[in-house]
Amino acid sequence: MQKNLLLLLCVLTTLTFAIPKPTDGKKDRVVDQKLSEQDHFGDHHNNDYDHDAFLGEEARTFDQLDPEESKKRLGEMVDKIDKDADGFVTQQELKEWIQYTQKKYIMEDVERQWSSHDMNGDDKIHWDEYKNTTYGFMTQEEMENDEDDSYNIMDMVKRDLRRWDTADSDSDKHLTKEEFQSFLHPEDVEHMKDIVVKETLEDIDKDKDGFISLEEYIGDMWTGDDKDEPDWVKSEREQFSTFRDKNGDGKMDTDEVKDWIIPPDYDHADAESKHLLFESDTDKDGKLTKQEIVDKYDLFVGSQATDFGEALVRHDEF
């Protein structure tokens, strides 16, 4: 049992994709782009979301810096964001910076995991190679006899294989580094998005009828441990009835789930850059000076709630 729990943690670490984690008990399933592990708006605006979106994965060790040093390095980062060096940061430059940090996070994650799974160094990973690395300490019999109520190892293997086969564009059971990126981060690849939808539906659809009911929808976000239902849960009930369940049949089908977790025509980097500009543009001229960004230090990088800011610690990034 202890081995199985260790395995589950390893697999979830390997295959976690862009589903932000809550700060107030609320789980957010919208995946489009991984701007942050934080919820942006709960009962109040969450600055942690903004600094994660702005710094990306580089935001890990920023709390090692004192405020004055971090502000100084933030100013240095602004010089990088200001591509045309005109002394102003536009919304487009902010958007491109956020996209860059997220792409950098994905590439570093792929490189890190690639080295762990490409055991023979042939620049491709075979399914058996991945399976042995991930599940190899369990025999086939142990996997088949696993009967833990919360998960089933064989189901996890089958689910991984289904995602693997979808990422394997030439169907040779090997993944190139580009295909492996699709496997690890399916939310960023058009032909992988249906897998994200299918996996989400399977996770939430407890009665396995192929739909997500209102009870299943709320149950995925809220455990019900609180005596009184939080206001955000009541709001989500209204969201389900008004926006999620488009045909009004009391449940979400596959198309409705896709519209929910992968909203069409919604660009998270664009929305976040516009939000940062709106909150920081003191003189309302539609662009930011370095001083305006540093003055809004807390909004961009100031929160100490999580580890962040590795880019500001490593001067070689500049």
Side-chain angles (χ1 to χ4, degrees), residues 153-184:
I153 299 298
M154 283 305 299
D155 287 342
M156 293 171 69
V157 173
K158 292 175 182 177
R159 179 161 156 157
D160 281 1
L161 179 57
R162 182 181 62 192
R163 188 193 283 200
W164 186 279
D165 287 341
T166 306
D168 182 15
S169 56
D170 56 6
S171 302
D172 65 350
K173 288 298 181 183
H174 291 84
L175 295 190
T176 64
K177 190 170 290 187
E178 182 178 356
E179 291 170 334
F180 191 57
Q181 179 175 327
S182 298
F183 175 72
L184 293 177

Side-chain angles (χ1 to χ4, degrees), residues 49 63 71 127 129 136 216 233 247 267 272 296 299 302:
Y49 181 98
D63 60 346
K71 289 179 182 180
W127 163 250
E129 199 171 13
E216 290 168 334
V233 175
N247 61 11
D267 186 333
E272 176 63 13
K296 283 290 187 175
L299 180 69

